[in-house]
Amino acid sequence: MIKNIRELLKYRVLIQSLVSRELKARYRGSILGFLWSFFNPFLLLLVYTIVFGFIIRPRDPTFEANPFTYSLFLFCGLLPWIWFSSSLLESSNVLIINGNLIKKILFPAEVLPTVVVLANLMNFIFGLPILFLFFILIGRNLTFWVFFLPISIIIQFILILGFSLLISSLSVIFRDIQNILANLVTLWFFSTPIIYPFSFPVIQESKFLKIFLSLNPMTHVIESYQYSIFYSSLPHWKRLSVTFIFSVVVFLIGYFVFNKLRDSFSEEV
């Protein structure tokens, strides 16, 4: 496995080129082009502010009934979630739609799910300036804890890459995974404290809900973003450390399964 990872690093120029091609392809033919990378998060923020801030209204005392404060909290979790969900869903068919590349060109197949994860990472990074700008506009200050973000990003990257390797390889054999995954991701979204805080009274009063949410690795990843940006404090480093170990395990399992199924890709796609 270590040999394969080293081999993958030799193709970093190809990965960089494919990520660039993927980002350009998303907005090719549109008037605003690459600027959509910034406008999309802004429009998303606008929609969620109207729906959850002004129509549904925040109920948790943390937000002081302020729709803009709640929107900021929401966006802190929504951006990394979009990176996560988009990578998983796109990975489920990346090997199938690039079947010709796998058959005709000699390069490690894991390059393809890696490109998916990195392209969505770039979209996530493009959304951060919009988040920081909104943060300043509503009169709040960024603190030293914002420098914790790279640690959260690295842990999330390892977790997503592990899942992407696992899902992309299994989807070649079991095509139903693509349909199951779409519904699973929706359930996973509502099982992660993104539109509500983990400190919500209903959760804290229920032992089952606390354990259920704590077993979700994305709970701790999303919370690390919320703490370092919204709450301006140190994330729960013990929970995040366990999540890091879990992410490494997921990555190793994902790579192991990918390696085992690698020889069947050219026949199945």
Side-chain angles (χ1 to χ4, degrees), residues 149-171:
L149 279 181
I151 296 175
S152 302
I153 292 172
I154 290 171
I155 294 173
Q156 186 176 357
F157 176 77
I158 296 170
L159 181 66
I160 296 176
L161 189 56
F163 277 127
S164 294
L165 288 168
L166 183 66
I167 291 169
S168 60
S169 56
L170 289 177
S171 294

PDB file of all heavy atoms in Angstrom, residues 149-171:
ATOM      1  N   LEU A 149      -8.095  25.906  11.411  1.00  0.00           N
ATOM      2  CA  LEU A 149      -8.798  25.370  10.246  1.00  0.00           C
ATOM      3  C   LEU A 149      -7.983  24.346   9.436  1.00  0.00           C
ATOM      4  O   LEU A 149      -8.533  23.324   9.014  1.00  0.00           O
ATOM      5  CB  LEU A 149      -9.225  26.513   9.313  1.00  0.00           C
ATOM      6  CG  LEU A 149     -10.501  27.267   9.693  1.00  0.00           C
ATOM      7  CD1 LEU A 149     -10.799  28.342   8.668  1.00  0.00           C
ATOM      8  CD2 LEU A 149     -11.673  26.313   9.807  1.00  0.00           C
ATOM      9  N   PRO A 150      -6.675  24.581   9.182  1.00  0.00           N
ATOM     10  CA  PRO A 150      -5.921  23.584   8.404  1.00  0.00           C
ATOM     11  C   PRO A 150      -5.967  22.187   9.010  1.00  0.00           C
ATOM     12  O   PRO A 150      -5.998  21.196   8.271  1.00  0.00           O
ATOM     13  CB  PRO A 150      -4.494  24.158   8.397  1.00  0.00           C
ATOM     14  CG  PRO A 150      -4.693  25.624   8.527  1.00  0.00           C
ATOM     15  CD  PRO A 150      -5.864  25.791   9.443  1.00  0.00           C
ATOM     16  N   ILE A 151      -5.989  22.099  10.349  1.00  0.00           N
ATOM     17  CA  ILE A 151      -6.047  20.778  10.992  1.00  0.00           C
ATOM     18  C   ILE A 151      -7.387  20.111  10.679  1.00  0.00           C
ATOM     19  O   ILE A 151      -7.448  18.920  10.345  1.00  0.00           O
ATOM     20  CB  ILE A 151      -5.845  20.921  12.517  1.00  0.00           C
ATOM     21  CG1 ILE A 151      -4.446  21.453  12.803  1.00  0.00           C
ATOM     22  CG2 ILE A 151      -6.072  19.583  13.226  1.00  0.00           C
ATOM     23  CD1 ILE A 151      -4.163  21.751  14.259  1.00  0.00           C
ATOM     24  N   SER A 152      -8.472  20.890  10.771  1.00  0.00           N
ATOM     25  CA  SER A 152      -9.798  20.351  10.443  1.00  0.00           C
ATOM     26  C   SER A 152      -9.842  19.905   8.984  1.00  0.00           C
ATOM     27  O   SER A 152     -10.414  18.848   8.661  1.00  0.00           O
ATOM     28  CB  SER A 152     -10.873  21.419  10.683  1.00  0.00           C
ATOM     29  OG  SER A 152     -10.845  21.869  12.019  1.00  0.00           O
ATOM     30  N   ILE A 153      -9.243  20.707   8.103  1.00  0.00           N
ATOM     31  CA  ILE A 153      -9.266  20.395   6.673  1.00  0.00           C
ATOM     32  C   ILE A 153      -8.492  19.102   6.385  1.00  0.00           C
ATOM     33  O   ILE A 153      -8.940  18.247   5.613  1.00  0.00           O
ATOM     34  CB  ILE A 153      -8.692  21.575   5.857  1.00  0.00           C
ATOM     35  CG1 ILE A 153      -9.646  22.774   5.946  1.00  0.00           C
ATOM     36  CG2 ILE A 153      -8.465  21.179   4.409  1.00  0.00           C
ATOM     37  CD1 ILE A 153      -9.089  24.050   5.336  1.00  0.00           C
ATOM     38  N   ILE A 154      -7.333  18.939   7.019  1.00  0.00           N
ATOM     39  CA  ILE A 154      -6.519  17.730   6.802  1.00  0.00           C
ATOM     40  C   ILE A 154      -7.274  16.476   7.265  1.00  0.00           C
ATOM     41  O   ILE A 154      -7.322  15.460   6.556  1.00  0.00           O
ATOM     42  CB  ILE A 154      -5.162  17.859   7.541  1.00  0.00           C
ATOM     43  CG1 ILE A 154      -4.299  18.919   6.857  1.00  0.00           C
ATOM     44  CG2 ILE A 154      -4.444  16.513   7.579  1.00  0.00           C
ATOM     45  CD1 ILE A 154      -3.044  19.284   7.625  1.00  0.00           C
ATOM     46  N   ILE A 155      -7.884  16.565   8.456  1.00  0.00           N
ATOM     47  CA  ILE A 155      -8.630  15.405   8.977  1.00  0.00           C
ATOM     48  C   ILE A 155      -9.795  15.077   8.054  1.00  0.00           C
ATOM     49  O   ILE A 155     -10.034  13.912   7.724  1.00  0.00           O
ATOM     50  CB  ILE A 155      -9.125  15.692  10.411  1.00  0.00           C
ATOM     51  CG1 ILE A 155      -7.932  15.807  11.356  1.00  0.00           C
ATOM     52  CG2 ILE A 155     -10.083  14.596  10.879  1.00  0.00           C
ATOM     53  CD1 ILE A 155      -8.282  16.250  12.762  1.00  0.00           C
ATOM     54  N   GLN A 156     -10.509  16.113   7.625  1.00  0.00           N
ATOM     55  CA  GLN A 156     -11.654  15.869   6.733  1.00  0.00           C
ATOM     56  C   GLN A 156     -11.183  15.307   5.386  1.00  0.00           C
ATOM     57  O   GLN A 156     -11.831  14.434   4.807  1.00  0.00           O
ATOM     58  CB  GLN A 156     -12.443  17.159   6.522  1.00  0.00           C
ATOM     59  CG  GLN A 156     -13.717  16.922   5.719  1.00  0.00           C
ATOM     60  CD  GLN A 156     -14.575  18.155   5.560  1.00  0.00           C
ATOM     61  OE1 GLN A 156     -14.257  19.208   6.092  1.00  0.00           O
ATOM     62  NE2 GLN A 156     -15.665  18.026   4.843  1.00  0.00           N
ATOM     63  N   PHE A 157     -10.060  15.801   4.901  1.00  0.00           N
ATOM     64  CA  PHE A 157      -9.532  15.319   3.619  1.00  0.00           C
ATOM     65  C   PHE A 157      -9.232  13.815   3.679  1.00  0.00           C
ATOM     66  O   PHE A 157      -9.584  13.053   2.772  1.00  0.00           O
ATOM     67  CB  PHE A 157      -8.266  16.102   3.244  1.00  0.00           C
ATOM     68  CG  PHE A 157      -7.598  15.614   1.989  1.00  0.00           C
ATOM     69  CD1 PHE A 157      -8.118  15.939   0.748  1.00  0.00           C
ATOM     70  CD2 PHE A 157      -6.472  14.802   2.049  1.00  0.00           C
ATOM     71  CE1 PHE A 157      -7.518  15.469  -0.416  1.00  0.00           C
ATOM     72  CE2 PHE A 157      -5.866  14.328   0.899  1.00  0.00           C
ATOM     73  CZ  PHE A 157      -6.395  14.676  -0.341  1.00  0.00           C
ATOM     74  N   ILE A 158      -8.582  13.390   4.753  1.00  0.00           N
ATOM     75  CA  ILE A 158      -8.243  11.962   4.901  1.00  0.00           C
ATOM     76  C   ILE A 158      -9.523  11.125   4.965  1.00  0.00           C
ATOM     77  O   ILE A 158      -9.624  10.063   4.341  1.00  0.00           O
ATOM     78  CB  ILE A 158      -7.386  11.745   6.174  1.00  0.00           C
ATOM     79  CG1 ILE A 158      -6.049  12.471   6.041  1.00  0.00           C
ATOM     80  CG2 ILE A 158      -7.149  10.257   6.419  1.00  0.00           C
ATOM     81  CD1 ILE A 158      -5.228  12.512   7.326  1.00  0.00           C
ATOM     82  N   LEU A 159     -10.511  11.628   5.724  1.00  0.00           N
ATOM     83  CA  LEU A 159     -11.781  10.903   5.871  1.00  0.00           C
ATOM     84  C   LEU A 159     -12.501  10.783   4.524  1.00  0.00           C
ATOM     85  O   LEU A 159     -12.951   9.690   4.136  1.00  0.00           O
ATOM     86  CB  LEU A 159     -12.679  11.632   6.884  1.00  0.00           C
ATOM     87  CG  LEU A 159     -14.035  10.985   7.162  1.00  0.00           C
ATOM     88  CD1 LEU A 159     -13.862   9.647   7.862  1.00  0.00           C
ATOM     89  CD2 LEU A 159     -14.905  11.913   8.033  1.00  0.00           C
ATOM     90  N   ILE A 160     -12.597  11.896   3.803  1.00  0.00           N
ATOM     91  CA  ILE A 160     -13.300  11.885   2.516  1.00  0.00           C
ATOM     92  C   ILE A 160     -12.574  11.003   1.506  1.00  0.00           C
ATOM     93  O   ILE A 160     -13.199  10.228   0.780  1.00  0.00           O
ATOM     94  CB  ILE A 160     -13.429  13.319   1.952  1.00  0.00           C
ATOM     95  CG1 ILE A 160     -14.290  14.182   2.864  1.00  0.00           C
ATOM     96  CG2 ILE A 160     -14.040  13.284   0.563  1.00  0.00           C
ATOM     97  CD1 ILE A 160     -14.392  15.623   2.425  1.00  0.00           C
ATOM     98  N   LEU A 161     -11.236  11.112   1.469  1.00  0.00           N
ATOM     99  CA  LEU A 161     -10.474  10.307   0.500  1.00  0.00           C
ATOM    100  C   LEU A 161     -10.659   8.814   0.773  1.00  0.00           C
ATOM    101  O   LEU A 161     -10.794   8.021  -0.160  1.00  0.00           O
ATOM    102  CB  LEU A 161      -8.990  10.697   0.556  1.00  0.00           C
ATOM    103  CG  LEU A 161      -8.100  10.096  -0.532  1.00  0.00           C
ATOM    104  CD1 LEU A 161      -8.618  10.441  -1.923  1.00  0.00           C
ATOM    105  CD2 LEU A 161      -6.660  10.573  -0.384  1.00  0.00           C
ATOM    106  N   GLY A 162     -10.682   8.447   2.041  1.00  0.00           N
ATOM    107  CA  GLY A 162     -10.904   7.045   2.401  1.00  0.00           C
ATOM    108  C   GLY A 162     -12.262   6.562   1.926  1.00  0.00           C
ATOM    109  O   GLY A 162     -12.377   5.501   1.290  1.00  0.00           O
ATOM    110  N   PHE A 163     -13.311   7.342   2.222  1.00  0.00           N
ATOM    111  CA  PHE A 163     -14.657   6.981   1.776  1.00  0.00           C
ATOM    112  C   PHE A 163     -14.742   6.962   0.247  1.00  0.00           C
ATOM    113  O   PHE A 163     -15.398   6.094  -0.342  1.00  0.00           O
ATOM    114  CB  PHE A 163     -15.690   7.963   2.337  1.00  0.00           C
ATOM    115  CG  PHE A 163     -16.134   7.637   3.735  1.00  0.00           C
ATOM    116  CD1 PHE A 163     -16.088   8.582   4.742  1.00  0.00           C
ATOM    117  CD2 PHE A 163     -16.629   6.373   4.044  1.00  0.00           C
ATOM    118  CE1 PHE A 163     -16.501   8.287   6.037  1.00  0.00           C
ATOM    119  CE2 PHE A 163     -17.048   6.062   5.337  1.00  0.00           C
ATOM    120  CZ  PHE A 163     -16.986   7.017   6.331  1.00  0.00           C
ATOM    121  N   SER A 164     -14.103   7.911  -0.401  1.00  0.00           N
ATOM    122  CA  SER A 164     -14.176   8.003  -1.864  1.00  0.00           C
ATOM    123  C   SER A 164     -13.515   6.797  -2.540  1.00  0.00           C
ATOM    124  O   SER A 164     -14.025   6.269  -3.524  1.00  0.00           O
ATOM    125  CB  SER A 164     -13.510   9.296  -2.355  1.00  0.00           C
ATOM    126  OG  SER A 164     -14.238  10.409  -1.900  1.00  0.00           O
ATOM    127  N   LEU A 165     -12.373   6.371  -2.001  1.00  0.00           N
ATOM    128  CA  LEU A 165     -11.705   5.183  -2.549  1.00  0.00           C
ATOM    129  C   LEU A 165     -12.589   3.953  -2.377  1.00  0.00           C
ATOM    130  O   LEU A 165     -12.725   3.128  -3.289  1.00  0.00           O
ATOM    131  CB  LEU A 165     -10.358   4.976  -1.846  1.00  0.00           C
ATOM    132  CG  LEU A 165      -9.258   5.970  -2.199  1.00  0.00           C
ATOM    133  CD1 LEU A 165      -8.089   5.841  -1.231  1.00  0.00           C
ATOM    134  CD2 LEU A 165      -8.772   5.755  -3.625  1.00  0.00           C
ATOM    135  N   LEU A 166     -13.200   3.852  -1.195  1.00  0.00           N
ATOM    136  CA  LEU A 166     -14.064   2.702  -0.891  1.00  0.00           C
ATOM    137  C   LEU A 166     -15.305   2.694  -1.791  1.00  0.00           C
ATOM    138  O   LEU A 166     -15.625   1.679  -2.433  1.00  0.00           O
ATOM    139  CB  LEU A 166     -14.480   2.758   0.580  1.00  0.00           C
ATOM    140  CG  LEU A 166     -15.328   1.605   1.107  1.00  0.00           C
ATOM    141  CD1 LEU A 166     -14.527   0.308   1.101  1.00  0.00           C
ATOM    142  CD2 LEU A 166     -15.815   1.905   2.525  1.00  0.00           C
ATOM    143  N   ILE A 167     -15.972   3.837  -1.875  1.00  0.00           N
ATOM    144  CA  ILE A 167     -17.222   3.928  -2.634  1.00  0.00           C
ATOM    145  C   ILE A 167     -16.978   3.784  -4.134  1.00  0.00           C
ATOM    146  O   ILE A 167     -17.711   3.077  -4.832  1.00  0.00           O
ATOM    147  CB  ILE A 167     -17.925   5.269  -2.322  1.00  0.00           C
ATOM    148  CG1 ILE A 167     -18.434   5.260  -0.889  1.00  0.00           C
ATOM    149  CG2 ILE A 167     -19.077   5.528  -3.290  1.00  0.00           C
ATOM    150  CD1 ILE A 167     -18.891   6.608  -0.391  1.00  0.00           C
ATOM    151  N   SER A 168     -15.939   4.439  -4.637  1.00  0.00           N
ATOM    152  CA  SER A 168     -15.682   4.383  -6.089  1.00  0.00           C
ATOM    153  C   SER A 168     -15.380   2.961  -6.544  1.00  0.00           C
ATOM    154  O   SER A 168     -15.821   2.537  -7.612  1.00  0.00           O
ATOM    155  CB  SER A 168     -14.532   5.323  -6.464  1.00  0.00           C
ATOM    156  OG  SER A 168     -13.355   4.943  -5.780  1.00  0.00           O
ATOM    157  N   SER A 169     -14.630   2.210  -5.737  1.00  0.00           N
ATOM    158  CA  SER A 169     -14.275   0.840  -6.127  1.00  0.00           C
ATOM    159  C   SER A 169     -15.464  -0.105  -5.995  1.00  0.00           C
ATOM    160  O   SER A 169     -15.717  -0.922  -6.883  1.00  0.00           O
ATOM    161  CB  SER A 169     -13.100   0.335  -5.291  1.00  0.00           C
ATOM    162  OG  SER A 169     -13.398   0.420  -3.902  1.00  0.00           O
ATOM    163  N   LEU A 170     -16.223   0.020  -4.913  1.00  0.00           N
ATOM    164  CA  LEU A 170     -17.381  -0.858  -4.708  1.00  0.00           C
ATOM    165  C   LEU A 170     -18.481  -0.574  -5.731  1.00  0.00           C
ATOM    166  O   LEU A 170     -19.210  -1.484  -6.138  1.00  0.00           O
ATOM    167  CB  LEU A 170     -17.932  -0.689  -3.284  1.00  0.00           C
ATOM    168  CG  LEU A 170     -17.052  -1.258  -2.160  1.00  0.00           C
ATOM    169  CD1 LEU A 170     -17.668  -0.951  -0.803  1.00  0.00           C
ATOM    170  CD2 LEU A 170     -16.856  -2.763  -2.310  1.00  0.00           C
ATOM    171  N   SER A 171     -18.603   0.695  -6.147  1.00  0.00           N
ATOM    172  CA  SER A 171     -19.661   1.067  -7.101  1.00  0.00           C
ATOM    173  C   SER A 171     -19.464   0.418  -8.465  1.00  0.00           C
ATOM    174  O   SER A 171     -20.429   0.222  -9.206  1.00  0.00           O
ATOM    175  CB  SER A 171     -19.715   2.593  -7.268  1.00  0.00           C
ATOM    176  OG  SER A 171     -20.109   3.199  -6.072  1.00  0.00           O
TER     177      SER A 171
END
